[in-house]
Amino acid sequence: LPVLQAAAEFVQMLPASESHHHAQPGGLWIHMLEVTDAALTYRSGMELPRGCGTEDRKRLEHRCTYIVFLGALLHDIGKTV
């Protein structure tokens, strides 16, 4: 929740693009949430981390989910610059 709140405050009124999808104020936030939702949905069908035994996978799966969450959420954060 703190990551979501900080990201929302940082991009709250920024568009995702100048003339394409989500060009309206707040469009970047909408885009970030849509990409994060899609990535987490895709991740739910995967066994991560790969190459681990069952016990290690169960122990580490939440970390992998968090990594996917952060990567997806912040994939366009550089657009703000």
Side-chain angles (χ1 to χ4, degrees):
L1 190 57
V3 172
L4 288 171
Q5 289 173 335
E9 289 174 12
F10 188 68
V11 302
Q12 62 183 330
M13 293 306 293
L14 298 175
S17 68
E18 291 183 7
S19 61
H20 299 313
H21 69 284
H22 303 306
Q24 74 275 16
L28 183 55
W29 178 238
I30 294 167
H31 175 70
M32 290 167 66
L33 291 176
E34 288 176 351
V35 170
T36 301
D37 180 53
L40 289 174
T41 298
Y42 183 74
R43 184 269 175 268
S44 69
M46 302 175 75
E47 291 186 356
L48 294 176
R50 293 182 179 152
C52 289
T54 304
E55 290 178 14
D56 288 334
R57 185 176 297 123
K58 284 308 251 180
R59 184 174 54 82
L60 298 171
E61 68 183 346
H62 298 297
R63 289 182 185 181
C64 290
T65 300
Y66 191 63
I67 291 167
V68 169
F69 162 76
L70 286 177
L73 182 69
L74 302 177
H75 80 282
D76 274 339
I77 202 71
K79 284 186 176 184
T80 59
V81 177

